[in-house]
Amino acid sequence: PGNRQLLLTRLAERLHGLFDGLINLADVASKPEKEVESFFLTRALAALSLMDDADLRPEEAAKCVTDGGSDDGIDGLYVDEKKKVIYFVQSKWRSGAKGVELGDFTRFRDGVKNVLELKWTTDNSNLHPFSTKIENSLKDIETTLVMLMAHTSDNHIAKNINNKIGEFLQEQNKIQKDFLEFREIDFSKITHIARSKTRASDIDVSVLLRNWG
């Protein structure tokens, strides 16, 4: 519907306002402009999710984007050493009505499993810069994990996928019930987050005013 297209356009505009010049696109720079834009939006979506959930500034969140050829299904990763939380993000920019597919989740799940088993391979080389922090954090019994699935589909995650999510949570939380949490960040939630986060150019001003006051 027309309204959906307008909302996507407005969301894309806000993502550019927040993350232009911050998201690394070097690996896709030679691709057609439309494809580069699609990569930007997917990556910016991952960064926006981390801005909200892990309370990061745009430049911090942009550095956590891992999307690319060797991401093993993980598009964003942040280790919060103070709060003792490891965040994993998978983001899907959907311009049509197509929802999150089972293969999207299983790839995400398997990527997280590989990290938990400390399997550092060529399949997840985009995550290697975080390996030391991850290994140190996982040694701490207080550390918990959060998986975020961010998407711009009109449809919620389907029942068959939710069943797989439930199985994975049950498996991971068998001994420590709060070890792993899964959150869906749907189109409505993303729009709300995008509206509540000021443009990058406004952020420094508000920080300066707060510090000055």
Side-chain angles (χ1 to χ4, degrees), residues 45-114:
L45 206 56
L48 184 74
S49 306
L50 285 171
M51 258 185 88
D52 182 61
D53 229 278
D55 199 22
L56 300 178
R57 289 163 61 81
E59 57 274 21
E60 293 170 325
K63 286 176 188 160
C64 299
V65 173
T66 52
D67 174 62
S70 306
D71 64 25
D72 209 13
I74 296 166
D75 299 323
L77 203 165
Y78 175 63
V79 182
D80 189 329
E81 290 167 298
K82 281 184 183 170
K83 291 181 184 167
K84 302 188 177 189
V85 183
I86 303 174
Y87 295 89
F88 298 95
V89 188
Q90 189 178 71
S91 55
K92 297 288 167 199
W93 181 271
R94 302 287 201 225
S95 49
K98 180 179 166 188
V100 172
E101 297 176 315
L102 181 59
D104 297 328
F105 170 70
T106 53
R107 192 159 173 260
F108 187 26
R109 174 199 67 194
D110 294 347
V112 170
K113 266 187 180 176
N114 288 334

Side-chain angles (χ1 to χ4, degrees), residues 8-164:
L8 277 171
T9 303
R10 284 156 54 119
L11 178 58
E13 194 66 27
R14 174 50 59 95
L15 291 174
H16 277 289
L18 284 165
F19 298 112
D20 266 352
L22 299 175
I23 299 282
N24 185 0
L25 297 163
D27 59 320
V28 295
S30 60
K31 293 185 183 291
E33 196 176 330
K34 201 174 176 183
E35 278 185 51
V36 175
E37 174 68 358
S38 180
F39 276 106
F40 169 82
L41 293 170
T42 296
R43 292 174 185 186
L45 206 56
L48 184 74
S49 306
L50 285 171
M51 258 185 88
D52 182 61
D53 229 278
D55 199 22
L56 300 178
R57 289 163 61 81
E59 57 274 21
E60 293 170 325
K63 286 176 188 160
C64 299
V65 173
T66 52
D67 174 62
S70 306
D71 64 25
D72 209 13
I74 296 166
D75 299 323
L77 203 165
Y78 175 63
V79 182
D80 189 329
E81 290 167 298
K82 281 184 183 170
K83 291 181 184 167
K84 302 188 177 189
V85 183
I86 303 174
Y87 295 89
F88 298 95
V89 188
Q90 189 178 71
S91 55
K92 297 288 167 199
W93 181 271
R94 302 287 201 225
S95 49
K98 180 179 166 188
V100 172
E101 297 176 315
L102 181 59
D104 297 328
F105 170 70
T106 53
R107 192 159 173 260
F108 187 26
R109 174 199 67 194
D110 294 347
V112 170
K113 266 187 180 176
N114 288 334
V115 170
L116 289 176
E117 291 166 16
L118 306 181
K119 289 180 180 170
W120 305 115
T121 65
T122 50
D123 289 336
N124 64 9
S125 57
N126 290 14
L127 315 180
H128 293 190
F130 300 87
S131 62
T132 306
K133 271 190 179 184
I134 287 170
E135 289 181 22
N136 289 338
S137 293
L138 287 175
K139 283 176 196 167
D140 189 333
I141 200 166
E142 299 294 337
T143 297
T144 58
L145 313 181
V146 175
M147 289 172 74
L148 303 171
M149 173 76 86
H151 64 89
T152 56
S153 164
D154 285 343
N155 306 314
H156 281 287
I157 291 174
K159 190 181 175 186
N160 65 322
I161 304 170
N162 268 324
N163 290 341
K164 291 286 180 196

